Amino acid sequence: MARGGRLPVEAGDPLAPSRQDDESFADFAYRMLCDELIVLDIKPGEPLNDEAISRRLGVGRTPIREAMKRLESDHLVVAYPRRGTFASGVDIKDLAEISEIRQLLEPAAAARAARHASPQLRNELRDFAHEVGQMLPRLQSQQDLMRLDMRVHRLIYRASGSRHLEDILVRYDNLATRIWSLVLEKLPPVSEHIAQHIELLECIAAGDSEAAARLTTQHVSDFENLIRAVL
């Protein structure tokens, strides 16, 4: 699998720690570390020791190093010569810029998905909308809710059919989710925010590009307002 941003959807449930049958060891290490960095299980500034991670994940050090390079290109880790690799910092001041970029690109991706998604993907979108409705009442952890949010976004990005748009949006969604995770304990339950995705997924599946863009714009605005309310 060449592009790591698609892993949370294509590899199945991101809450499952086991390696998927179609996953390389480097992909598995990337997926696990990416999740830990995004939800801040690995804290900003924390060192990442490839030997310790290799033992913890049961993966050789070479795949760990490959995963680290990809994480560095995603701006989730930073490497310093002779010092090592560290989780990148989270700066609340980046919220406005990240939100501005997402306000431009997220509605475009949703509208494009509504226009261009294949019949198979439209069925997947409908099925996932139903799954989200079933999962929400059962998820108590704010972090698990955030992981579900990430799955929805990645499916929409994939449905857009644009590799370049998908790659950009995965990167910015990761950065936005890290900011969200930084203040997650201060936020009210985010289940209502994530429930907005059900109608959005159904609109995309139905080919309603205008409604998809409008709902996405509102969703991104609500995200920024939720964060600013607790700052």
Side-chain angles (χ1 to χ4, degrees):
M1 188 173 304
R3 288 160 48 238
R6 292 172 59 175
L7 278 167
V9 170
E10 293 192 358
D13 187 347
L15 305 185
S18 58
R19 186 170 70 91
Q20 307 297 316
D21 292 339
D22 60 347
E23 242 180 337
S24 71
F25 287 108
D27 285 338
F28 169 67
Y30 174 88
R31 176 166 62 93
M32 298 304 297
L33 291 171
C34 188
D35 179 85
E36 292 174 356
L37 287 158
I38 291 169
V39 301
L40 304 189
D41 285 341
I42 300 176
K43 305 299 183 188
E46 184 176 331
L48 283 80
N49 180 278
D50 56 2
E51 184 176 356
I53 294 171
S54 174
R55 290 196 302 268
R56 177 164 65 83
L57 297 183
V59 173
R61 293 177 69 178
T62 297
I64 297 297
R65 293 191 186 105
E66 291 177 17
M68 293 282 202
K69 290 179 182 177
R70 290 162 64 182
L71 292 166
E72 186 175 10
S73 70
D74 291 341
H75 303 292
L76 294 174
V77 304
V78 56
Y80 298 103
R82 297 181 297 278
R83 288 183 54 197
T85 302
F86 300 81
S88 61
V90 180
D91 192 342
I92 294 291
K93 294 192 295 293
D94 292 337
L95 177 62
E97 182 179 355
I98 291 171
S99 294
E100 182 178 0
I101 294 169
R102 295 180 73 220
Q103 283 280 13
L104 293 170
L105 296 182
E106 294 264 358
R112 197 176 197 281
R115 292 193 303 268
H116 298 295
S118 67
Q120 180 180 350
L121 268 172
R122 292 185 194 278
N123 288 332
E124 189 175 343
L125 288 158
R126 292 187 190 96
D127 290 344
F128 195 46
H130 179 69
E131 183 182 345
V132 170
Q134 290 187 317
M135 290 180 67
L136 278 176
R138 302 199 306 265
L139 293 178
Q140 303 299 320
S141 163
Q142 292 274 74
Q143 285 187 333
D144 287 347
L145 287 165
M146 291 308 305
R147 289 183 173 99
L148 178 60
D149 183 82
M150 290 165 60
R151 286 184 63 190
V152 174
H153 282 277
R154 277 149 183 71
L155 177 56
I156 294 171
Y157 304 157
R158 178 159 61 94
S160 75
S162 170
R163 174 172 61 86
H164 300 294
L165 186 58
E166 180 183 358
D167 287 346
I168 291 169
L169 282 172
V170 165
R171 175 175 294 181
Y172 279 98
D173 186 60
N174 287 347
L175 298 176
T177 304
R178 292 191 87 212
I179 293 176
W180 197 330
S181 297
L182 194 66
V183 297
L184 202 55
E185 293 181 357
K186 301 178 182 179
L187 292 172
V190 295
S191 53
E192 183 176 342
H193 177 74
I194 295 170
Q196 296 173 356
H197 287 314
I198 297 173
E199 183 181 2
L200 173 58
L201 291 167
E202 291 172 345
C203 284
I204 294 173
D208 191 339
S209 60
E210 290 186 8
R214 173 175 49 80
L215 290 169
T216 303
T217 298
Q218 184 62 51
H219 183 77
V220 176
S221 295
D222 288 349
F223 162 80
E224 183 175 7
N225 291 337
L226 277 171
I227 300 296
R228 293 196 180 283
V230 299
L231 294 180

